[in-house]
Amino acid sequence: MSVSLAPDYSKAQRLVDKNVLKNNHFHMMLQQYSLLHSQINSGTDEPEYDYWKAKFNAPEPFGLLDLGIENGFLTRRDIVDVLGDKYDKTFGRIAPYTCQKLQVHIVSWERDTHTLHYGAVRPLKESQKKELITAINEEGFNVRHLKYRAIDTKRILQINSRQKIVTDDEISTLISEFNHDPQDPLRLKKVKEYILLQALQAKASNIKLVKSNDVLECVISFTIGQTTAPKHVLSVKAAGRLMQAFKDDAKMDPIIKDRPQDGHIEMVFQDRKVNFRAATGATVSGEFMSLRVHDLGSIMSLHILLNRFPELADNLRHYMRQKDKGGSLICLSGTTGSGKTALLAALQREADRLGCTIISIAAPVEMRVRHTQQMQINEDIGQTANVLTKAAMRLFPDILIQEEVRDPQTAEGALRNGDTGHKTGFTIHAVSAISAAAKIVSMVPEEFKEQAWNIIGDILHYSLHLKLIKKLCSCALVDEDAGGNILKRNPHGCPKCDYTGYDGMVQCPETLQIGDGLEVRHEALKALKEHRLADLVKLDGVTYRPRDYYARRLYDEGVIDHETYQRQRTIDVLEVIQQKRDQKAQEIMDTINNIDIDQLNEEYSARDEREPVISIEEIEELFMNEDDEATDEDR
Ligand SMILES: [Zn+2]
């Protein structure tokens, strides 16, 4: 059989023996490999063809393990943990950007001593070593020491040259040439590619292109973290050409300018496929296009996504694995861009590894995950949340997730799903882990409200409120005053962080877990209903961790700076102030309600001098004068 062609068959087999790779996944990979191989050899019209062809024709042999990573069955760390330095190809793909920048190649990994062996074209400075360690650890490793090994520099350069990196200078020059002559098709192609590459390198989540006919220039901006900033300036003509070209790539109708359109653009970045969800729309004076980045490869697994809080990943994994936990509800909340979609995708991949099925119902599906079941609501063709739920039930899911609860139907549906004895979940926009329950109840139809609360009281087990906060770049400096691992932002930054000192985001959640006991559930429901936060968190069986608990850990580990940490605290302080204010207001109301008017009158009439401090006439006079003065000055 042609499967024996896979160069790493025995290595994959070892991962199966070590229980890292599931047997059925291994067999699926074998079949997939042989299918792809025969397609590559015979040629095919499938749109995926070019992608796989490029993979198989890459200088390093493409094998089963790469397929495993691509499918989400394996992570690089899994492979390295089992195979160690017998698989140095993997290392070439860990933190490719940093390795290429520093001209470094990772050779092997000694897990017991936390030591990474590397080869380099030239000796690394201390700051560069630190940068390398940070970048590798971001991929889920725990490197503490580096050890230099002499290897052929030609090989390092060869491995690293496979990845294309765009520098700021390169792209600036290109764009100014493009502005002068937007007609050259080759240049246009390059501009498209470079802009997408630059966005991926900067870990931008969104690219926006605004074309307006009443100004001389148009702007391309990137959203990085929670800030959107202009990146490039184009002439109106150049912007028009570029937008047209992006529309072509996204398979939109280039003629339509007055109606919103949707589409997808795909590109290969660092050996993996990246998806841009394109949307266009009209403005008063022109048109805009937004390209939302969905980098599947960048959110490989639960333990990398939550690598700073392994106990959270363990809890979620434990929850998914519990087969008998019928009728339970899990809630993921947060604002737009808080990482809900990414966490859900990670859960879906993890579920597959744990041998359970998650089916998600969404409108629309934000991020496509390979080999998972995602259903898309489309009311136009009768695919409502209700219809899809029924269809999903027939597939016997272990967990059924309703994504983006946003109207009475989806809210009621999400809660009723849980009532059927399934493990269920939903995602929702809410401001905190605790208020998410009240939020979903507020959305259901009036006649269902009481039942909705009861369902929550019976089965809500986990509520996670997600938030992404700014992570320090590897150029961060040691904070001499603070001691320990604490770092502070490098005010000058470096090219990797676009000179901001921050690079990417890290998840900083708020979590609420409610135990199984009848008593605790009853009390928790009462507290949730009446929004008695303080009482809720004191209950035996309820585990609540506020955001600043997690932020503190990130700060202590040198992941975020003091300012970012403090900001997570401020929100809590504001909440306390609000509570205090509410309390004060209540006290004042109580006082007012308890005033004995008769007694006051008595006291008042008993006083000798009754002259008011200021009379109404005096006040009026004051205001009149002020007005007069103002008018005088105006004259
Ligand atoms: Zn930096």
Side-chain angles (χ1 to χ4, degrees):
M1 221 164 99
S2 56
V3 290
S4 57
L5 286 170
D8 49 1
Y9 179 89
S10 61
K11 292 186 174 106
Q13 183 67 55
R14 259 188 79 187
L15 290 167
V16 176
D17 295 342
K18 294 268 177 191
N19 277 329
V20 171
L21 177 63
K22 285 170 62 75
N23 212 0
N24 60 330
H25 286 160
F26 177 56
H27 283 286
M28 188 172 154
M29 281 151 55
L30 286 174
Q31 290 177 18
Q32 204 180 354
Y33 190 89
S34 101
L35 178 67
L36 287 169
H37 223 270
S38 64
Q39 277 174 347
I40 298 301
N41 291 333
S42 62
T44 159
D45 294 336
E46 295 292 320
E48 294 258 307
Y49 178 65
D50 287 340
Y51 175 70
W52 290 108
K53 197 175 156 194
K55 289 233 153 198
F56 278 93
N57 292 339
E60 307 255 335
F62 181 83
L64 287 172
L65 297 186
D66 298 283
L67 255 182
I69 293 174
E70 187 101 9
N71 289 338
F73 301 156
L74 286 170
T75 66
R76 294 197 172 88
R77 199 191 128 146
D78 292 334
I79 298 174
V80 172
D81 273 352
V82 173
L83 300 175
D85 58 356
K86 286 173 195 65
Y87 196 64
D88 86 322
K89 182 181 158 195
T90 314
F91 294 113
R93 302 210 175 134
I94 293 172
Y97 180 84
T98 311
C99 286
Q100 187 180 358
K101 200 180 106 190
L102 302 176
Q103 294 294 19
V104 158
H105 178 61
I106 312 292
V107 189
S108 68
W109 160 239
E110 261 172 51
R111 192 170 24 158
D112 302 337
T113 57
H114 301 279
T115 308
L116 195 79
H117 298 255
Y118 72 101
V121 172
R122 62 189 87 78
L124 295 188
K125 290 185 222 147
E126 278 311 307
S127 60
Q128 292 174 320
K129 285 183 187 167
K130 216 181 73 199
E131 185 177 344
L132 182 63
I133 293 182
T134 314
I136 301 282
N137 284 350
E138 267 170 24
E139 305 240 0
F141 289 83
N142 183 7
V143 177
R144 290 186 204 149
H145 317 284
L146 290 178
K147 214 166 197 172
Y148 175 78
R149 273 223 225 146
I151 54 167
D152 185 8
T153 51
K154 231 199 228 153
R155 180 165 153 70
I156 301 176
L157 291 171
Q158 188 212 339
I159 294 167
N160 280 327
S161 66
R162 279 220 320 273
Q163 317 282 354
K164 172 82 192 138
I165 287 188
V166 187
T167 64
D168 286 356
D169 287 347
E170 261 179 301
I171 195 160
S172 304
T173 316
L174 180 66
I175 295 241
S176 72
E177 286 168 2
F178 180 56
N179 276 334
H180 280 110
D181 175 19
Q183 297 308 328
D184 183 352
L186 281 176
R187 189 173 292 144
L188 173 67
K189 193 170 168 243
K190 211 165 165 189
V191 169
K192 278 192 307 187
E193 188 195 342
Y194 277 26
I195 287 174
L196 299 182
L197 270 176
Q198 196 188 23
L200 290 170
Q201 276 171 206
K203 300 199 179 95
S205 56
N206 203 49
I207 306 170
K208 202 161 89 188
L209 172 60
V210 181
K211 188 172 145 291
S212 175
N213 297 326
D214 52 13
V215 288
L216 283 173
E217 77 287 321
C218 304
V219 171
I220 296 180
S221 40
F222 285 5
T223 305
I224 300 171
Q226 273 140 347
T227 33
T228 302
K231 198 80 190 173
H232 301 294
V233 174
L234 294 179
S235 70
V236 177
K237 212 174 218 166
R241 286 273 290 159
L242 185 64
M243 198 175 280
Q244 200 89 350
F246 274 137
K247 278 185 178 173
D248 278 344
D249 288 354
K251 299 185 182 63
M252 294 178 180
D253 187 338
I255 312 290
I256 297 176
K257 292 193 171 125
D258 52 351
R259 273 186 282 129
Q261 294 193 75
D262 279 315
H264 283 278
I265 297 174
E266 219 171 54
M267 82 178 286
V268 177
F269 174 66
Q270 291 178 352
D271 270 348
R272 61 177 189 267
K273 248 190 264 186
V274 180
N275 210 322
F276 294 86
R277 212 173 98 199
T280 58
T283 61
V284 189
S285 58
E287 224 184 332
F288 73 88
M289 170 175 250
S290 121
L291 296 167
R292 203 169 164 76
V293 184
H294 284 310
D295 184 354
L296 277 176
S298 70
I299 43 129
M300 287 299 294
S301 69
L302 199 58
H303 72 238
I304 290 179
L305 202 64
L306 295 173
N307 68 342
R308 308 288 169 182
F309 313 116
E311 80 280 10
L312 272 183
D314 285 344
N315 277 344
L316 288 169
R317 223 175 271 131
H318 178 73
Y319 175 82
M320 286 195 284
R321 221 186 270 133
Q322 278 173 302
K323 283 281 179 197
D324 55 344
K325 202 162 188 82
S328 75
L329 191 60
I330 178 165
C331 161
L332 303 178
S333 57
T335 54
T336 310
S338 58
K340 292 190 300 262
T341 315
L343 181 61
L344 201 57
L347 283 175
Q348 268 166 326
R349 296 207 135 162
E350 193 71 21
D352 204 29
R353 286 159 60 78
L354 296 173
C356 60
T357 320
I358 296 186
I359 295 184
S360 69
I361 298 173
V365 170
E366 286 277 343
M367 195 182 277
R368 291 194 193 156
V369 186
R370 285 176 72 90
H371 307 303
T372 56
Q373 285 117 331
Q374 294 166 298
M375 294 179 159
Q376 183 153 308
I377 295 176
N378 186 348
E379 312 223 320
D380 293 347
I381 55 164
Q383 299 288 307
T384 61
N386 208 349
V387 168
L388 290 181
T389 305
K390 278 186 192 137
M393 290 298 185
R394 272 177 237 128
L395 298 170
F396 303 107
D398 293 296
I399 302 176
L400 180 63
I401 305 253
Q402 172 69 56
E403 282 186 58
E404 286 301 312
V405 166
R406 63 177 106 208
D407 51 32
Q409 289 78 36
T410 42
E412 184 174 344
L415 293 174
R416 282 197 191 277
N417 290 346
D419 212 19
T420 57
H422 280 80
K423 264 198 282 193
T424 53
F426 62 92
T427 68
I428 193 169
H429 278 249
V431 292
S432 77
I434 293 176
S435 69
K439 179 76 187 279
I440 191 169
V441 175
S442 77
M443 290 167 104
V444 302
E446 199 57 45
E447 64 277 11
F448 184 62
K449 277 202 178 9
E450 193 56 37
Q451 202 185 336
W453 271 122
N454 289 336
I455 292 174
I456 285 173
D458 287 343
I459 60 172
L460 179 68
H461 278 92
Y462 224 130
S463 178
L464 263 93
H465 187 261
L466 304 171
K467 187 180 177 189
L468 291 170
I469 60 177
K470 277 190 283 190
K471 192 157 63 74
L472 281 169
C473 175
S474 49
C475 64
L477 309 166
V478 174
D479 191 343
E480 304 289 352
D481 304 329
N485 295 322
I486 288 167
L487 300 179
K488 61 181 180 193
R489 185 176 76 91
N490 181 342
H492 306 296
C494 68
K496 188 181 164 216
C497 57
D498 208 10
Y499 310 100
T500 59
Y502 296 110
D503 183 28
M505 309 291 275
V506 60
Q507 186 53 248
C508 182
E510 177 204 355
T511 55
L512 171 74
Q513 210 178 343
I514 305 173
D516 275 327
L518 273 180
E519 176 112 2
V520 56
R521 300 213 65 88
H522 181 70
E523 289 302 318
L525 174 62
K526 275 206 298 194
L528 272 174
K529 245 176 159 173
E530 293 156 21
H531 204 79
R532 284 182 285 110
L533 171 68
D535 294 338
L536 177 71
V537 302
K538 263 187 275 170
L539 289 174
D540 211 11
V542 168
T543 315
Y544 174 70
R545 298 256 183 269
R547 177 153 290 117
D548 70 316
Y549 163 82
Y550 294 104
R552 175 83 216 190
R553 280 169 61 180
L554 293 173
Y555 173 60
D556 286 344
E557 286 173 26
V559 181
I560 60 172
D561 63 359
H562 192 257
E563 197 190 322
T564 312
Y565 166 51
Q566 211 58 32
R567 206 166 294 139
Q568 306 321 310
R569 289 172 59 87
T570 328
I571 294 162
D572 290 332
V573 171
L574 286 178
E575 269 171 10
V576 173
I577 292 173
Q578 188 58 45
Q579 275 173 15
K580 286 252 154 69
R581 267 195 203 140
D582 291 350
Q583 229 170 22
K584 199 79 200 163
Q586 192 58 48
E587 276 168 27
I588 294 171
M589 283 311 287
D590 288 347
T591 326
I592 293 173
N593 289 337
N594 293 332
I595 289 173
D596 185 341
I597 301 288
D598 291 339
Q599 195 196 336
L600 268 185
N601 271 339
E602 233 167 73
E603 276 175 26
Y604 190 66
S605 46
R607 272 153 70 172
D608 294 336
E609 291 171 14
R610 286 183 223 169
E611 267 180 38
V613 185
I614 188 166
S615 70
I616 299 288
E617 286 80 6
E618 275 175 307
I619 294 173
E620 272 176 2
E621 208 171 306
L622 267 174
F623 277 102
M624 295 283 284
N625 284 344
E626 220 172 50
D627 278 354
D628 284 349
E629 267 166 29
T631 356
D632 277 347
E633 261 172 39
D634 284 349
R635 276 184 216 127

